[in-house]
Amino acid sequence: AQSVAQPEDQVNVAEGNPLTVKCTYSVSGNPYLFWYVQYPNRGLQFLLKYITGDNLVKGSYGFEAEFNKSQTSFHLKKPSALVSDSALYFCAVRDTGGFKTIFGAGTRLFVKA
Amino acid sequence: NAGVTQTPKFQVLKTGQSMTLQCAQDMNHNSMYWYRQDPGMGLRLIYYSASEGTTDKGEVPNGYNVSRLNKREFSLRLESAAPSQTSVYFCASSVDLKSYGYTFGSGTRLTVV
């Protein structure tokens, strides 16, 4: 069965510092991996995806994520955090042979000025 | 640039009451989904519709029914609301089931008292 874990409920970082939001996954085959962001009172917005190819994928708003097959991880990163990055971030996974997308519980990112 | 539109945005129901959550998309997507979001649990799939005329159960379908009225509209009905159905409900759509990303609505916050 597919699953995705986001081990941190909240991540705190100072503005200008690098940020990492962690995600690990479990699928029976090869994964498709996604990150979404949710701002207050809004729906989820797609940030980036890993399908195949380069392990480092770049997405919206300066975010990137690194796929690590051996560690079954897909951590979200940004070199320099902004206060406006404060939001709820969801990692999601789908088996390449299926279509159901499983979402993690979410990690709240708080960027302090 | 409407995307996915959900109504209502907020609703309070008494236990046993019924209601229908509405969702419409204007992107000519074939597939649509209903998720519920609960703290610490991420998003869980209630029902989905692969294409017009078809619907299928997701992870947590009990207590809900859906109707894919046409290609644009996918409604979620609570026949007899229970406090356990207090949640935030999101509708999403994608080109098809194999698409790599979803477009989400802004959500309906439902409280059952």
Side-chain angles (χ1 to χ4, degrees):
Chain A
Q2 302 169 197
S3 66
V4 59
Q6 294 181 242
E8 302 153 316
D9 292 335
Q10 181 164 316
V11 170
N12 298 308
V13 64
E15 187 174 34
N17 283 0
L19 70 87
T20 298
V21 182
K22 296 179 180 177
C23 172
T24 59
Y25 67 90
S26 174
V27 295
S28 56
N30 292 318
Y32 292 149
L33 295 155
F34 312 88
W35 277 102
Y36 287 81
V37 59
Q38 184 182 28
Y39 298 103
N41 300 315
R42 302 289 298 275
L44 278 70
Q45 297 178 29
F46 176 79
L47 268 183
L48 52 79
K49 67 181 183 288
Y50 171 81
I51 303 301
T52 187
D54 194 348
N55 289 343
L56 185 65
V57 295
K58 296 186 182 297
S60 307
Y61 313 121
F63 283 94
E64 58 190 25
E66 185 170 12
F67 170 61
N68 187 317
K69 188 172 184 177
S70 63
Q71 297 185 6
T72 61
S73 66
F74 189 57
H75 300 332
L76 181 70
K77 300 181 179 183
K78 187 173 183 181
S80 179
L82 300 172
V83 172
S84 58
D85 292 330
S86 298
L88 189 57
Y89 291 81
F90 290 94
C91 182
V93 65
R94 197 176 91 202
D95 190 303
T96 54
F99 64 89
K100 291 184 181 178
T101 301
I102 304 298
F103 288 82
T107 298
R108 188 165 299 281
L109 174 66
F110 180 72
V111 181
K112 185 177 181 180
Chain B
N1 59 341
V4 177
T5 302
Q6 290 183 236
T7 55
K9 293 191 182 302
F10 303 94
Q11 184 71 49
V12 178
L13 289 179
K14 293 182 179 179
T15 298
Q17 286 185 318
S18 62
M19 79 161 295
T20 300
L21 281 64
Q22 307 286 353
C23 175
Q25 51 91 11
D26 62 0
M27 296 169 288
N28 202 36
H29 285 173
N30 290 297
S31 300
M32 298 184 74
Y33 315 83
W34 276 106
Y35 283 90
R36 59 178 288 173
Q37 180 184 26
D38 300 294
M41 301 187 73
L43 276 73
R44 292 181 292 171
L45 183 64
I46 305 171
Y47 271 93
Y48 67 96
S49 171
S51 60
E52 184 180 356
T54 70
T55 61
D56 283 289
K57 296 178 180 179
E59 298 174 68
V60 289
N62 291 344
Y64 305 96
N65 285 300
V66 292
S67 296
R68 184 74 184 267
L69 304 171
N70 48 56
K71 191 171 186 178
R72 291 186 64 249
E73 299 173 285
F74 188 40
S75 63
L76 178 72
R77 182 162 179 82
L78 286 71
E79 292 290 353
S80 179
S84 60
Q85 294 178 304
T86 294
S87 187
V88 181
Y89 291 86
F90 287 102
C91 178
S93 70
S94 62
V95 173
D96 55 40
L97 288 184
K98 294 287 190 177
S99 295
Y100 297 141
Y102 296 168
T103 301
F104 282 84
S106 59
T108 296
R109 186 174 295 274
L110 175 67
T111 302
V112 183
V113 297

